[in-house]
Amino acid sequence: MGQYYVGVDVGGTTVKMGLFSDVGELLEKWEIPTCLEDHGSHVLTDIVDSIESKRCKWEGNIRGIGVGIPGPVTDDGVVLKCANLGWGVFSVKNELASLTGVGNVKVANDANVAALGEMWRGGGRGYDSIVMVTLGTGVGGGIIHQGKILTGSRGAGGEIGHTKVNPNETQTCGCGNRGCLEQYASATGIVRMAKEHLPENSCLFNQEITAKTVFDGAKAGDEYCKEVVDKFGRYLGLALSNVAHVIDPEAFVIGGGVSAAGQIILDVVEKYYEENSMYALKDRKFHLAELGNDAGIYGTVRMVMFK
């Protein structure tokens, strides 16, 4: 009989799951809808039901279940409220262990497990200390130090998106503060910057503006798009330099939907990282994420395979 591990990445819309062999090979992956009714009380039972529906054909034992949650999680698996799911404060680890009968259960923040997955099998492989930043609708982050997630004292470690990079900003971030990295490096932040002083001679004029069109315009030589991309890189490079001065990672991995722009992101971010970093922290490696939406399930399994 086989020995398996299950990775679970809980999102606000879908729950991604994967079955892994005892050597870390992804054997099967699937998704189920995230049921947000009744304050998310069905989410864990739906996950267990889905695992059980598959379990009969696996002909083996589940040696561990890892879970990524979109919110702060303590080292012992307690979720400290999760607005996206409607959850309060409770032990996801204990609840899931009770429902499945699997003793080896670990729970962590979704951005942190994505970082762990990228370190293990993605853009950060070959290193054991990395910082991952995910650029999507918002800006997420995950810090891996010597092969382990740095969660912080209350599970909020790695919230790079709300690092203050511009104390003179007048507009308010979604978190309630002003001048957060998320206001400049997220997809919505890039669009906001592009709309602020849009000239008529830009390729963006009179068309739908997205992060992709901004980066495409910059690649094509549009001067205004290049200015916006430069501003994006200046703030992200500064933020990552600030993180490096505390964490001293070996490498940075950049993921999320915005990272599809490719090398142009690495070039501009690395430029401003170097300008803002002390000598001992220069020449760090920058990589694009490689696992896409599977990073979370890889990271959750990595947690339970290597204690």
Side-chain angles (χ1 to χ4, degrees), residues 5 13 16 46 55 60 68 86 94-95 133 137 149 153 155 166 169 182-183 208 215 239 283 285 287 290:
Y5 294 87
T13 304
K16 301 175 182 64
D46 286 351
R55 204 170 189 171
N94 291 346
E95 181 73 11
V133 57
T137 304
I149 294 172
S153 63
N166 181 8
E169 178 61 62
E182 190 165 289
Q183 293 180 269
E208 180 184 3
F215 281 104
D283 299 321
K285 301 298 182 182
H287 301 280
E290 297 178 2

Side-chain angles (χ1 to χ4, degrees), residues 56-195:
C56 60
K57 73 174 185 178
W58 292 341
E59 298 182 353
N61 298 318
I62 297 176
R63 299 188 62 182
I65 301 174
V67 185
I69 300 295
V73 185
T74 65
D75 284 335
D76 56 356
V78 175
V79 172
L80 303 176
K81 295 190 177 182
C82 182
N84 290 344
L85 302 179
W87 287 356
V89 178
F90 75 105
S91 176
V92 174
K93 175 182 177 178
N94 291 346
E95 181 73 11
L96 200 56
S98 175
L99 290 170
T100 61
V102 176
N104 182 18
V105 175
K106 290 192 176 181
V107 186
N109 170 265
D110 57 353
N112 288 336
V113 295
L116 189 62
E118 288 289 344
M119 183 211 74
W120 186 32
R121 294 292 174 89
R125 63 186 177 277
Y127 308 103
D128 69 0
S129 294
I130 70 166
V131 171
M132 181 176 174
V133 57
T134 54
L135 311 176
T137 304
V139 174
I143 298 170
I144 309 300
H145 180 63
Q146 296 182 347
K148 297 186 180 298
I149 294 172
L150 195 158
T151 58
S153 63
R154 296 285 286 171
E159 288 290 349
I160 297 169
H162 298 291
T163 299
K164 186 179 289 290
V165 292
N166 181 8
N168 299 315
E169 178 61 62
T170 58
Q171 295 191 39
T172 304
C173 176
C175 74
N177 291 324
R178 294 183 177 90
C180 295
L181 175 63
E182 190 165 289
Q183 293 180 269
Y184 311 99
S186 66
T188 50
I190 293 165
V191 170
R192 179 183 73 89
M193 290 191 296
K195 289 180 176 180

Side-chain angles (χ1 to χ4, degrees), residues 7 35 45 108 114 124 126 128 145 153 162 165 167 180 183 198-199 207 213 225 229 231 234 259 263 284-285 288 303:
C35 179
T45 53
D128 69 0
H145 180 63
S153 63
H162 298 291
V165 292
C180 295
Q183 293 180 269
L198 179 60
Q207 72 161 301
T213 59
C225 290
V229 169
K231 187 175 181 180
R234 183 165 70 251
S259 71
Q263 187 64 39
R284 298 305 154 96
K285 301 298 182 182
L288 294 172
M303 285 195 304

